[in-house]
């Protein structure tokens, strides 16, 4: 039976300063490094032997994966990075302080932007400062694929092709897979594999640096789910 492990990256520098991050590439905080290392220690205790690792192209997720794998002695396993596992793109909210944004637009509106399944944030144009269209790591993408902002529904739509093409075939083949990514890309995958409704997914929170372990059968049905903390 294949095992699938999710780890939301440890606390980032912008988590610490309460800023909308999205596709902006920020590093882990000192606490985030400790959380990632602790995740690896918890995984070591399980004895899971991984065959494949996946992560985003953002530093905070990549480093979380590496710290965790190093702690459990598996830094050597094959690894693939993909933009499809990036955090949800927060559009023109990226870089703004969350509390100050709530004061300006109202807490209810900010809650809708953050947690609604299908409401988009204010969008960035490709020519705006901070647009991912200016970032070299996305230079090989069709410009139409680079978002100016996303909700969870759009995030799910970009994550699922990668699931279908890479992650699911690994699991069906019986491989153990670890994914270090972000709160919303992991919420999207969780919604998909657990068949969570559009309304209920709004209340799901992915804890930072705490591995979630799934046992999946060959039809990729969830047999068991364990949160390690």
């Amino acid at each position: 039976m294949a095992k699938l492990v999710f780890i939301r990256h440890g606390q980032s520098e912008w988590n610490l300063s309460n800023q909308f991050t999205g596709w902006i590439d920020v590093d882990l905080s000192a606490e985030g490094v400790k959380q990632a290392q602790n995740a690896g220690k918890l995984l070591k205790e399980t004895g899971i032997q991984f065959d494949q690792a996946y992560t985003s192209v953002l530093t905070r997720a990549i480093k979380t994966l590496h710290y965790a794998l190093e702690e459990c002695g598996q830094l050597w396993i094959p690894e693939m990075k993909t933009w499809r596992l990036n955090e949800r793109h927060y559009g023109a909210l990226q870089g703004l302080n969350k509390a100050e944004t709530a004061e300006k637009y109202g807490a209810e509106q900010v809650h809708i932007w953050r947690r609604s399944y299908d409401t988009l944030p204010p969008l960035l144009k490709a020519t705006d400062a901070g647009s991912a269209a200016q970032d070299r790591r996305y230079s090989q993408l069709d410009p139409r694929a680079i978002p100016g902002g996303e909700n969870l529904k759009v995030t799910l739509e970009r994550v699922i092709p990668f699931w279908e093409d890479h992650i699911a075939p690994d699991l069906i083949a019986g491989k153990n897979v670890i994914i270090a990514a972000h709160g919303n890309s992991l919420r999207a995958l969780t919604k998909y594999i657990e068949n969570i409704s559009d309304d209920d997914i709004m209340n799901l929170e992915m804890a930072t640096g705490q591995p979630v372990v799934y046992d999946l059968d060959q039809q990729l049905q969830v047999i068991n789910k364990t949160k390690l903390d």
Side-chain angles (χ1 to χ4, degrees), residues 21-39:
T21 311
W23 281 30
I24 303 298
D25 194 26
V26 301
D27 208 342
L28 294 174
S29 67
E31 178 62 24
V33 171
K34 293 178 182 178
Q35 291 172 339
Q37 291 171 330
N38 185 62

Side-chain angles (χ1 to χ4, degrees), residues 20 88 90 93 98 101-116 119-122:
F20 288 100
R88 167 192 167 186
Y90 275 100
L93 299 178
K98 294 175 183 177
T101 305
E103 289 180 5
K104 181 176 180 179
Y105 295 101
E108 182 177 354
Q109 179 61 69
V110 171
H111 180 75
I112 291 170
W113 282 333
R114 293 185 65 187
R115 306 302 293 187
S116 170
T119 300
L120 288 168

Side-chain angles (χ1 to χ4, degrees), residues 158-172:
R158 66 150 154 94
V159 166
I160 293 309
F162 189 80
W163 168 271
E164 293 174 339
D165 291 344
H166 297 277
I167 303 168
D170 281 349
L171 296 168
I172 291 169

Side-chain angles (χ1 to χ4, degrees), residues 29-143:
S29 67
E31 178 62 24
V33 171
K34 293 178 182 178
Q35 291 172 339
Q37 291 171 330
N38 185 62
K41 292 174 182 176
L42 293 172
L43 288 172
K44 185 176 182 178
E45 293 175 0
T46 70
I48 300 172
Q49 299 296 302
F50 293 108
D51 301 293
Q52 179 67 49
Y54 294 104
T55 189
S56 73
V57 296
L58 298 171
T59 298
R60 57 196 187 272
I62 296 167
K63 286 190 173 182
T64 295
L65 176 65
H66 291 175
Y67 281 123
L69 287 177
E70 184 174 19
E71 286 292 331
C72 63
Q74 300 184 64
L75 191 57
W76 58 271
I77 67 169
E79 170 189 331
M80 181 183 292
K81 303 179 184 74
T82 174
W83 69 278
R84 290 190 178 274
L85 291 175
N86 275 14
E87 175 59 295
R88 167 192 167 186
H89 194 302
Y90 275 100
L93 299 178
Q94 292 184 161
L96 300 181
N97 180 275
K98 294 175 183 177
E100 293 174 359
T101 305
E103 289 180 5
K104 181 176 180 179
Y105 295 101
E108 182 177 354
Q109 179 61 69
V110 171
H111 180 75
I112 291 170
W113 282 333
R114 293 185 65 187
R115 306 302 293 187
S116 170
Y117 179 62
D118 55 7
T119 300
L120 288 168
L123 302 181
L124 284 176
K125 297 177 182 178
T127 54
D128 288 340
S131 169
Q134 315 300 323
D135 192 321
R136 189 169 70 90
R137 79 194 73 195
Y138 309 112
S139 62
Q140 300 304 310
L141 296 181
D142 183 330

